[in-house]
Amino acid sequence: MKILVIGSGGREHALAWKLAQSPRVKKVYVAPGNGGTATETRVENLPITDPQQLADFCIAEDIHLTVVGPEAPLAAGIVDYFRMRRLRIFGPTQGAAQLESSKAFAKAFMARHGIPTAAHRTFSDAAEAHAYIDTHGAPLVVKADGLAAGKGVVVALTLADAHAAVADMLEHNTYGVQHGEDGARVVIEDFLDGEEASFIVLVDGRNVVPLASSQDHKRLQDEDRGPNTGGMGAYSPAPVVTPEVHARVMREIILPTVQGMAAEGHDYTGFLYAGLMIDPQGHAKTLEFNCRLGDPETQPILMRLKSDLVTVFDAAIDGKLDKMELQWDRRTALAVVMAAPGYPEAPRLGGAISGIPKHADDLHVFHAGTRLEEGKLHTSGGRVLAVTALGDSVRMAQTRAYVGVRQIAFEGMQFRQDIGWRAIKR
Ligand code: AMP
Ligand code: GLY
């Protein structure tokens, strides 16, 4: 059978790589793909992004199922459209994807259903937002309402930072957020202290199957300093998600979300990603929902998945996840992201990449922002590569990944030296 993956990042490379290993799969198309998916075995890039043309392709080529990687096509309603064309697709509808595409929707939804999250207020009026900041005091977190590729969040430790963030988001739209019909809005929420984890599950409308836990590294620099990014590295499993924390998150966050969405007429299908803040007592609060897999979390998670991913997606699309149990490699997987110079503010692209190590059982370099031109690899996006390794411990996976990283070169490359540090410190 043939499969279609929509997207062009490291997450989509990992999905395509994993799907292509299924004995049931003849070809995985990635639309539009990148320099890594261009050379992966049984994977082929498809230079199409228009949903109508993609649906035409699926019909013409008898594509068995489609998986959507990024949030933008989901928020634009590609699942609704494919279903209308009677095509098999895994992802949430436009209505369900509001959990990610609108922070205001997500916060109001969590309040309606008693799902733990930071207390918040939503503002469209800048003067009111500034006044609220002065009465509340710092620290505070200011979030633009809309899709901002992980960059529309400012953790303001001082009043001045909080005021500046409101000015940026409501007055100047510095982050280039796509606004809804009501114009610019910000969510201002209480600062939460603790350790973050990514909790991602598969949902078929009613049944939920959790993926292995993971932890991302959002800040650009070592020791979690510097600006927020889309993610500079990740590993799985995340020891902060103990069996007790896991059970509590399923009970207090995931199941109420899936049931609440169904009760509100948005049967949730697809990946559901809860970004968690876990306090020292093991109580988790939801920082955000994403309606997709995480990037770079997907790369280590899928390195550890032993089950056939096509079978998993078939069960999910057919509403049979209650019959599904996933098998995991007991080792740790760890991914180090290599980013372009100037990332995240203004990445400089086009540099030649050399030295990518050969794939091995315990090492795979997933491409994100790369392009293959006349057989040569160049950078084409802010996050360029995710060097992903398996090891018997976090430390061993880390060592193996950095051996891979040190073989690779491109001008101005940026990467963190400390991916996995929280798990190693434990
Ligand atoms: P978000 O896109 O909402 O997950 O926010 C991006 C990052 O900002 C998160 O991964 C956290 O590191 C940080 N953050 C967001 N909300 C809060 C909060 N209420 N308290 C502390 N840190 C936060
Ligand atoms: N790595 C964070 C995200 O995918 O949202």
Side-chain angles (χ1 to χ4, degrees):
M1 58 177 61
K2 296 183 239 176
I3 309 275
L4 174 64
V5 175
I6 295 177
S8 64
R11 164 183 55 211
E12 289 77 22
H13 185 180
L15 276 167
W17 164 81
K18 181 65 192 167
L19 287 163
Q21 287 167 26
S22 169
R24 299 165 63 199
V25 167
K26 190 166 79 184
K27 178 76 68 71
V28 180
Y29 292 96
V30 188
N34 60 38
T37 52
T39 52
E40 194 68 61
T41 313
R42 279 197 295 284
V43 177
E44 189 175 319
N45 286 348
L46 186 67
I48 303 179
T49 49
D50 174 62
Q52 196 176 329
Q53 287 177 29
L54 286 169
D56 292 344
F57 176 85
C58 288
I59 291 164
E61 289 293 321
D62 193 22
I63 299 293
H64 176 67
L65 65 84
T66 298
V67 186
V68 187
E71 61 273 23
L74 295 167
I78 195 164
V79 170
D80 311 66
Y81 178 67
F82 267 50
R83 285 187 186 163
M84 195 182 77
R85 302 274 309 259
R86 299 181 180 282
L87 291 164
R88 290 169 68 74
I89 186 163
F90 185 59
T93 59
Q94 185 171 39
Q98 287 179 90
L99 272 182
E100 172 168 7
S101 61
S102 168
K103 291 211 186 262
F105 174 89
K107 293 298 280 192
F109 174 86
M110 286 190 270
R112 284 198 291 281
H113 296 279
I115 295 163
T117 187
H120 80 288
R121 295 272 305 271
T122 303
F123 298 94
S124 50
D125 183 88
E128 285 175 23
H130 288 301
Y132 175 75
I133 290 168
D134 284 329
T135 49
H136 185 286
L140 273 171
V141 182
V142 186
K143 303 185 175 188
D145 184 35
L147 293 179
K151 283 167 278 185
V153 175
V154 173
V155 178
L157 299 180
T158 65
L159 287 179
D161 288 351
H163 286 301
V166 165
D168 283 349
M169 290 177 200
L170 281 186
E171 293 153 46
H172 316 303
N173 194 16
T174 311
Y175 299 96
V177 171
Q178 304 162 24
H179 295 139
E181 283 156 21
D182 318 334
R185 289 193 292 188
V186 293
V187 173
I188 302 183
E189 64 180 44
D190 289 358
F191 174 80
L192 300 176
D193 210 4
E195 183 168 347
E196 284 179 60
S198 305
F199 199 100
I200 309 175
V201 299
L202 289 144
V203 192
D204 69 4
R206 317 231 159 263
N207 307 298
V208 177
V209 174
L211 299 181
S213 64
S214 58
Q215 189 174 80
D216 188 12
H217 297 60
K218 293 258 163 68
R219 301 297 194 101
L220 181 68
Q221 289 153 8
D222 286 7
E223 292 162 19
D224 294 337
R225 287 178 297 113
N228 260 321
T229 70
M232 293 300 290
Y235 61 91
S236 169
V240 65
V241 183
T242 60
E244 293 72 37
V245 170
H246 191 283
R248 196 179 278 152
V249 170
M250 286 296 286
R251 194 172 64 238
E252 295 180 359
I253 295 175
I254 301 294
L255 296 176
T257 300
V258 172
Q259 286 156 7
M261 289 300 278
E264 294 188 12
H266 296 296
D267 278 4
Y268 195 97
T269 52
F271 291 104
L272 177 65
Y273 166 150
L276 305 177
M277 186 69 87
I278 301 165
D279 74 14
Q281 287 73 44
H283 292 279
K285 285 190 173 160
T286 313
L287 289 174
E288 63 165 350
F289 284 118
N290 295 315
C291 58
R292 50 170 177 82
L293 283 167
D295 190 339
E297 293 95 319
T298 302
Q299 292 85 318
I301 289 173
L302 292 186
M303 277 285 272
R304 295 186 58 224
L305 182 66
K306 288 180 161 176
S307 311
D308 182 318
L309 193 51
V310 178
T311 307
V312 174
F313 285 145
D314 269 336
I317 291 172
D318 296 332
K320 292 180 178 157
L321 281 180
D322 52 332
K323 309 224 163 47
M324 200 77 223
E325 209 175 311
L326 302 180
Q327 305 298 322
W328 299 98
D329 194 314
R330 55 169 185 79
R331 288 176 289 176
T332 293
L334 184 143
V336 179
V337 168
M338 303 183 73
Y343 178 78
E345 278 89 13
R348 294 189 297 283
L349 311 178
I353 307 167
S354 64
I356 296 196
K358 278 221 164 56
H359 303 330
D361 163 57
D362 61 351
L363 184 83
H364 203 97
V365 179
F366 295 109
H367 294 221
T370 74
R371 200 172 48 217
L372 199 61
E373 272 166 36
E374 294 166 2
K376 292 210 166 66
L377 210 50
H378 295 271
T379 63
S380 67
R383 290 187 294 171
V384 178
L385 303 165
V387 182
T388 311
L390 282 165
D392 283 328
S393 63
V394 185
R395 173 83 73 186
M396 286 161 90
Q398 186 194 52
T399 303
R400 181 76 181 103
Y402 280 105
V403 168
V405 167
R406 275 189 289 276
Q407 289 174 257
I408 299 170
F410 55 89
E411 203 177 309
M413 61 192 184
Q414 308 186 71
F415 58 89
R416 283 180 56 158
Q417 310 271 0
D418 65 346
I419 300 304
W421 69 272
R422 283 181 194 274
I424 288 168
K425 205 183 68 178
R426 268 172 175 263

